[in-house]
Structure formats: structure tokens, C-alpha cells
């Protein structure tokens, strides 16, 4: 931006449940004649469509960044394949399991964001495609929730404190849940003595935790 002489202002929606915040931001930007374009990491796959359309009609191009969006009027997209990322995570776990029977908990992230469900589908595809015929793999339905630490702590407690889910081998977590899972296991290791944590993407916190050995892996597609 500096090389091109452009000015960029970053606006935080405040979380994946803050639909109103991002709608208000988009509405304000579409009316601001000093804004030449909008780069949007949408908090929801479809709920921003009409606001994207309004901005485009007012002459402000909108580009989707990282988080996919339906929005037929979107001008361009710069995205990752979260399905492929999920597949890589599943591939790693099958290799790491060494053909042993395993139990997995999957903490996906926000239910309506698109990327979390895509990641889970890719993960599930890898697990069932690559596992050995004699290998038994058990995992409950994925846990969806906003990526605030307090929400992920509740999701971890809800699933992992259930005796039916004791003795997990792998906790596959969004990055926030992964760092919270480290704390959870320190207090509840007796119920999950062999549990390993795998993050579905890398942040500064997960990178530090990987260096310390608290998280065993995270994908990085380049």
C-alpha cells in the first residue's frame, strides 16, 4: 500500500456473531465517497450479500479476503481452500495414528462462517479415504462456536467432560480452541491421558505452542 501511495484503514467487526457491526461498517463505507474499495473478511457466508450489492451499486468495488462469501455482486475473491487445509489435517492424523484405533474431537469454529464447515468436510474426507480398513475411528459431531476464548472453553468442557468422550486421542481445533485445549488438558489429563492437539491453522499463539510441544501440528499451505 505504501509503495502504491494507498491508504488502508483496518476495521474490526468484533467477532463472528457481530453481524450488525459489519453491516453498519459496509453501509457506511458504501456512502463514503473517499473510499475507493473495500476488502472484506466476511463474518458470515450469506448475510452480507445485500450490503455488498449496495456498495457495488454505489460504485465501490468489494473484494472477499480469506473468508468466502456468496454475494453474487462481489468483484473478486482472494481465498484459501479450507477444504484442502482440512484434508491435510486428516492426512496428518492418519499418518500419526500408525493404523491404531483412535478417537477424535473436532472443534471447527463458527457455524455460519463457511470456512469451518469446509475444513471439516475436507478433514472427514481424508479420514475415511486414508484410514486402513481394519482401523476404527470414532468422533462425535463437530463442535461449532464463535472463536472467542470463552466460547471455545465452553465447547471443550461440554464435549470433553462427557464420560462418553473420555480417552480422546486427538483434539482437532481451530486456533483459539487449540490454545484453550492446552489449558484444559493440564487440568483434565487424567480423563484424556493420550490426547494430542492439532490446530487447523497457524497463529502466533499456536506457533509458540508448537515450539513448546503443546500442539503437535498445524497446516501451512504455500
Amino acid at each position: 500500500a505504501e509503495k502504491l501511495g494507498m491508504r488502508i484503514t483496518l476495521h474490526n467487526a468484533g467477532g463472528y456473531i457481530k453481524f450488525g457491526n459489519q453491516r453498519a461498517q459496509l453501509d457506511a463505507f458504501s456512502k463514503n465517497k473517499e473510499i475507493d474499495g473495500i476488502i472484506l473478511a466476511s463474518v458470515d457466508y450469506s448475510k452480507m450479500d445485500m450490503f455488498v450489492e449496495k456498495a457495488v451499486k454505489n460504485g465501490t468495488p468489494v473484494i472477499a479476503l480469506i473468508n468466502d462469501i456468496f454475494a453474487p455482486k462481489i468483484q473478486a475473491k482472494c481465498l484459501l481452500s479450507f477444504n484442502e487445509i482440512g484434508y491435510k489435517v486428516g492426512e496428518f492424523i492418519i499418518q500419526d495414528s500408525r493404523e491404531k484405533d483412535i478417537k477424535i474431537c473436532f472443534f471447527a469454529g463458527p457455524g455460519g462462517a463457511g470456512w469451518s464447515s469446509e475444513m471439516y468436510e475436507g478433514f472427514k474426507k481424508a479420514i475415511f479415504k486414508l484410514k486402513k480398513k481394519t482401523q476404527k475411528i470414532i468422533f462425535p459431531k463437530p463442535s461449532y462456536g464463535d472463536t472467542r476464548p470463552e466460547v471455545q472453553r465452553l465447547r471443550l468442557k461440554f464435549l470433553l467432560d462427557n464420560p462418553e468422550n473420555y480417552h480422546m486421542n486427538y483434539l482437532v481445533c481451530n486456533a483459539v480452541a487449540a490454545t484453550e485445549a492446552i489449558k484444559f488438558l493440564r487440568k483434565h489429563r487424567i480423563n484424556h491421558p493420550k490426547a494430542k492437539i492439532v490446530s487447523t491453522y497457524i497463529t502466533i499463539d499456536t506457533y509458540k505452542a508448537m515450539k513448546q510441544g503443546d500442539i503437535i501440528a498445524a497446516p501451512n499451505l504455500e
Side-chain angles (χ1 to χ4, degrees):
E2 289 176 356
K3 287 179 180 178
L4 294 173
M6 298 169 60
R7 182 164 59 90
I8 293 178
T9 305
L10 179 65
H11 296 264
N12 192 334
Y16 281 95
I17 61 170
K18 302 290 186 178
F19 303 121
N21 283 12
Q22 197 166 71
R23 286 174 175 175
Q25 288 167 355
L26 277 171
D27 190 48
F29 301 156
S30 69
K31 297 173 183 176
N32 190 333
K33 298 302 180 183
E34 293 184 358
I35 293 176
D36 298 302
I38 299 170
I39 299 172
L40 174 67
S42 180
V43 299
D44 190 88
Y45 181 70
S46 60
K47 291 182 179 179
M48 300 301 155
D49 291 2
M50 64 179 290
F51 298 92
V52 170
E53 183 175 358
K54 183 177 179 180
V56 173
K57 280 185 176 180
N58 287 343
T60 307
V62 182
I63 298 171
L65 176 68
I66 299 178
N67 293 354
D68 198 7
I69 187 171
F70 178 70
K73 297 298 182 180
I74 202 85
Q75 303 292 286
K77 295 181 178 183
C78 181
L79 307 175
L80 297 170
S81 172
F82 288 103
N83 191 281
E84 185 179 353
I85 292 172
Y87 190 94
K88 289 293 183 184
V89 174
E91 185 178 53
F92 170 81
I93 286 178
I94 290 298
Q95 291 173 353
D96 190 70
S97 69
R98 301 179 185 275
E99 303 183 20
K100 295 178 181 178
D101 296 345
I102 54 174
K103 292 178 72 175
I104 306 169
C105 260
F106 195 100
F107 297 90
W115 61 265
S116 51
S117 55
E118 286 181 31
M119 197 175 293
Y120 175 67
E121 289 303 316
F123 171 80
K124 191 167 60 172
K125 180 181 178 181
I127 289 292
F128 289 111
K129 179 181 178 181
L130 302 175
K131 80 177 191 70
K132 301 300 179 183
K133 290 183 179 180
T134 56
Q135 187 177 18
K136 186 177 181 181
I137 297 179
I138 299 172
F139 56 95
K141 291 181 179 179
S143 177
Y144 289 98
D146 187 64
T147 49
R148 288 172 293 160
E150 60 270 27
V151 174
Q152 294 303 316
R153 280 197 295 271
L154 287 172
R155 302 313 300 155
L156 285 159
K157 181 175 175 58
F158 178 78
L159 275 180
L160 300 178
D161 273 352
N162 184 342
E164 292 182 4
N165 297 327
Y166 282 180
H167 300 286
M168 283 290 159
N169 299 103
Y170 296 95
L171 307 182
V172 181
C173 306
N174 64 75
V176 178
T179 54
E180 291 300 322
I182 296 169
K183 304 169 193 174
F184 181 89
L185 287 180
R186 285 173 184 160
K187 296 179 180 179
H188 302 85
R189 180 57 79 175
I190 190 170
N191 297 329
H192 304 279
K194 297 181 180 179
K196 301 177 182 179
I197 302 169
V198 178
S199 180
T200 53
Y201 54 94
I202 295 176
T203 62
I204 292 172
D205 289 336
T206 57
Y207 178 72
K208 290 178 180 177
M210 287 172 66
K211 290 183 73 174
Q212 294 168 355
D214 294 320
I215 295 174
I216 65 167
N220 182 24
L221 299 183
E222 292 185 348

